[in-house]
Amino acid sequence: MEPIGEQPPLEVEVRRGGCVESRHRVRFAVARSDGAIVRSGGDIRAPVFPRSAIKPLQAVPLVESGAADRFGLGEVELALACASHSGQPEHVSAVGSWLSKIGCSADDLQCGAHLPYDEESAHRLIQAGERPGALHNNCSGKHAGMLALARHLGAPLRGYVEPDHPVQRAVAEVLQSFCDQPQLPAPGIDGCGVPTWPVPLGGLAIAAARIASPAGLPDARRDAVRRLVAAMRSHPNLVAGERRPCTRIMRALPEVVVKTGAEGVYFAALPARRLGLALKVEDGATRAAVAALMHLLRLVGVDLPDRLQDLATPVLTNRAGAPVGEIAVRS
C-alpha cells in the first residue's frame, strides 16, 4: 500500500427541520490492483473487520480449488456463495438444492438461524407457525460453499467454521494475499460463526481492486474471480434481495459489483475503471454507509440513474409517510 497523505473522512449528516440532528464519520479508500491508493479519507491503515463485505473473497477457494466444477455448481450457487441473502423462497430453495448436490443438509450448516430479512417471507413463516432454520440465515450460501470446499478437500465437515480448519486457512490465505498483508492478526468471530480477520481499510480497497481487475493474479485465481464476478452481475437478486441496496445498485449499474458488511462496511469493484473501493462508518451506521457509497461512486465517475437517488440522499419520513428530513454526505 503506497503512502498517501491523510485526508479527512467523509461526514454523513442526518438533517431534520433544516438542522443537523446527527453526524457520521466515514473512512474510505479507492485503490488500483497494483496496490496504489488513488483517493482516501481518514486513517486507512487502521484495521477494520470487513464482515460480510468480503464474501466474494471467501468464495475464491471454492472455485479456485476445483470444488465448484466437481459438484457442478453454476452461477446461481456462486452468486449465493457471495451473498447476504434476504431469506426469500428462491434463496432458501436454491441453497437447499445445493446442499443436496454435495451430500449435505441444513443440519450441516453451522451458521445458526434468524428470520428472513425479507419482511414478506418473515411474515409468512410467522403466520404458518414455523420457525426459521439455518437455510434462512443470510449467510447460508457462504456456508454451503464452505461445506462444498470441505468435501472437496476431504476435510471434516464438522468444525468447518474453526480458524484452524483447512477451509478457513484457505480463506485466510486469500484475504492475506489480496489485501497485501504480510500476516493476519488473530481473528474475531463473525455473526454467522466463521472467523473475521481485521485488515487495514486500504488493504481492503486493494482487494476490491483485484476483484475488479484480476489480470495480474495466477491463472486459477484470476479465473475464479471472473466467474464469481459474472455470477454476481447475472444474479444480483441472489446477492441480497428485493429492495436491498446491493441488489438495486447492481441491477441499475451493471459495471459495478458491490457487497455490504455489518457495522457500516462496503466493498465495491469497478471492472471498467479497474478500481476498488472500501469504506467503514466509524459508528457502524448502515444508513450512513449507503449514502457514502453512492457519493464515492459519483466521485470516481459513475453516473447514478434517477432510480438510485433515494439511496444517495434518503428522505426521512414520519410514521404517516410525510417527509421530515434527509440523509446526505456533506460536500
Side-chain angles (χ1 to χ4, degrees), residues 45-72:
R45 291 181 175 82
V48 301
F49 285 110
R51 307 292 296 272
S52 287
I54 58 161
K55 282 178 177 173
L57 296 178
Q58 290 170 312
V60 166
L62 170 67
V63 184
E64 182 182 38
S65 67
D69 288 337
R70 174 181 173 183
F71 295 112

Side-chain angles (χ1 to χ4, degrees), residues 76 80 87-96 121 237-238 240-242 251:
V76 166
L80 286 165
Q88 295 169 243
E90 63 177 326
H91 303 135
V92 173
S93 62
V95 176
S121 300
N237 57 308
L238 300 181
E242 297 302 321
R251 277 179 175 163

Side-chain angles (χ1 to χ4, degrees), residues 243-254:
R243 297 176 294 279
R244 299 264 306 280
C246 286
T247 292
R248 290 186 57 200
I249 292 166
M250 288 192 288
R251 277 179 175 163
L253 300 169

Side-chain angles (χ1 to χ4, degrees), residues 117 195 264 318:
Y117 289 164
N318 63 16

Side-chain angles (χ1 to χ4, degrees), residues 97-148:
S97 297
W98 177 358
L99 290 171
S100 296
K101 282 185 180 181
I102 61 173
C104 291
S105 73
D107 292 337
D108 294 304
L109 296 172
Q110 293 183 235
C111 54
H114 61 72
L115 278 169
Y117 289 164
D118 178 64
E119 288 188 9
E120 292 178 8
S121 300
H123 289 159
R124 280 196 295 267
L125 271 182
I126 293 167
Q127 289 166 358
E130 298 177 7
R131 297 177 64 84
L135 290 174
H136 296 98
N137 188 303
N138 76 97
C139 297
S140 64
K142 175 179 75 176
H143 281 249
M146 290 176 174
L147 284 168

Side-chain angles (χ1 to χ4, degrees), residues 163-196:
D164 61 350
H165 190 279
V167 166
Q168 300 306 331
R169 290 204 301 267
V171 170
E173 187 279 322
V174 168
L175 184 62
Q176 183 177 342
S177 175
F178 273 70
C179 295
D180 273 355
Q181 297 303 295
Q183 60 183 16
L184 295 176
I189 302 300
D190 212 331
C192 67
V194 302
T196 178

